[in-house]
Amino acid sequence: MQIITEPAEMQSIAESLRLQHQFIGVVMTMGALHNGHLSLVRIAKQKAGTVIMTIFVNPTQFGPGEDFHRYPRPFEQDAALARSAGIDYLFVPSPEKMYPEGFHTTIDPGPISSLFEGRSRPGHFSGVATVVVKLLNITQPHIAIFGEKDAQQLTLIRKVTGELNIGTKIIGAPIARESDGLATSSRNIYLSSSEREQATVLYRGICHAEIETGEGRTDLAVIAEEAESLIRSMPDADPDYVSFVDDETFEPADKALPGKAYRLVMAVRIGTTRLIDNWRFVCP
Ligand code: AMP
């Protein structure tokens, strides 16, 4: 595994791989690697001959007061995990290389970037869209794998790459979970042991929705309220939003129509840690 820190060097390696007819897959991460990231790598390895992983804690997608400075950066451990997962190139640029002095260009992904995660984190999705397009241009991949854990981000990346005619195929990967259902996340290490136990309530909220819709209920707004009350019953849980959305537009959805896909999306603060989760549902 080669570790690259210079954007120009990474781009010229990617260009020569393409000239050698290599099929390139990329997995973009902020590091603190866990099973969720490794499940993306497995998909990339199945589909691509050369796999590039990027590790970049992108300052422009963090708001003031968010956890940019305390975000975990266990680089040696990440490099060892990436190597043993079979990554060919690990691209780890510095913020200064990605955003040299005088950098101004940003991408505005439109209305979806001001809903849910975007409403709670102003500027977040513009930061995400801009860095993803930069990393796609640098790594020149045929395919890029993103987790459904960040479902709104995945939808937005499909939209931005489609609308900007970027040739990379975007592939979604299922959510990796711990054995008790908690979605695996780099932020789970912030949780105290009591908070870690309470954090399973997000998944229990999802299970409630799965059972109720499974019984034929279509009153999505009411089911989401029930899931939210269940989440609020934990002393340290403070939901930011719990809502069903149209799976394509992320517009809130109150009632399920046959044949349409919806997603229950949620962001919940457990103590000071903000966790997100979601579940997709197709109305029969
Ligand atoms: P992050 O390092 O949190 O920015 O995540 C990097 C990529 O891994 C994104 O595409 C995430 O959606 C994906 N990812 C993170 N956690 C999970 C998970 N539990 N299951 C599946 N994908 C995940």
Side-chain angles (χ1 to χ4, degrees), residues 11-233:
Q11 194 171 36
S12 82
I13 289 172
E15 276 161 9
S16 56
L17 287 167
R18 279 204 169 231
L19 287 173
Q20 294 156 39
H21 305 290
Q22 274 296 316
F23 192 84
I24 306 173
V26 73
V27 175
M28 298 181 188
T29 80
M30 298 203 299
L33 299 180
H34 53 63
N35 276 335
H37 299 120
L38 298 178
S39 70
L40 271 51
V41 173
R42 280 193 291 276
I43 295 174
K45 296 277 296 173
Q46 279 162 14
K47 296 181 185 282
T50 299
V51 179
I52 303 173
M53 174 183 276
T54 69
I55 296 184
F56 182 57
V57 185
N58 175 34
T60 69
Q61 70 189 68
F62 287 78
E66 291 187 358
D67 57 346
F68 174 68
H69 291 291
R70 73 166 180 148
Y71 198 85
R73 292 166 171 84
F75 179 70
E76 296 305 325
Q77 186 186 312
D78 283 350
L81 278 170
R83 186 174 286 113
S84 60
I87 294 296
D88 299 292
Y89 297 92
L90 185 61
F91 177 54
V92 197
S94 64
E96 294 71 29
K97 293 283 178 193
M98 290 293 275
Y99 304 111
E101 223 179 294
F103 184 99
H104 285 120
T105 307
T106 56
I107 292 174
D108 175 2
I112 188 178
S113 61
S114 42
L115 296 166
F116 298 99
E117 278 305 278
R119 196 180 49 212
S120 300
R121 306 181 68 187
H124 171 69
F125 281 130
S126 173
V128 169
T130 307
V131 81
V132 166
V133 169
K134 279 175 70 72
L135 290 170
L136 289 172
N137 284 333
I138 292 166
T139 59
Q140 307 270 311
H142 297 87
I143 58 170
I145 326 292
F146 293 91
E148 268 192 63
K149 160 90 184 335
D150 300 275
Q152 191 175 0
Q153 167 178 285
L154 173 58
T155 299
L156 183 128
I157 290 168
R158 285 192 203 283
K159 180 173 165 68
V160 167
T161 53
E163 291 180 357
L164 294 180
N165 308 90
I166 293 172
T168 304
K169 183 175 177 202
I170 306 299
I171 295 174
I175 301 178
R177 297 183 179 280
E178 305 295 337
S179 55
D180 60 6
L182 177 67
T184 310
S185 165
S186 307
R187 290 190 167 100
N188 292 349
I189 59 158
Y190 298 153
L191 300 166
S192 69
S193 64
S194 149
E195 289 169 348
R196 173 64 187 78
E197 269 175 41
Q198 296 179 55
T200 58
V201 78
L202 280 80
Y203 185 61
R204 285 186 277 130
I206 286 174
C207 292
H208 174 75
E210 194 167 359
I211 291 166
E212 296 303 311
T213 51
E215 287 181 357
R217 282 179 62 185
T218 54
D219 52 342
L220 300 181
V222 181
I223 297 173
E225 274 170 27
E226 292 163 1
E228 182 168 347
S229 309
L230 177 69
I231 291 167
R232 280 192 194 283
S233 70

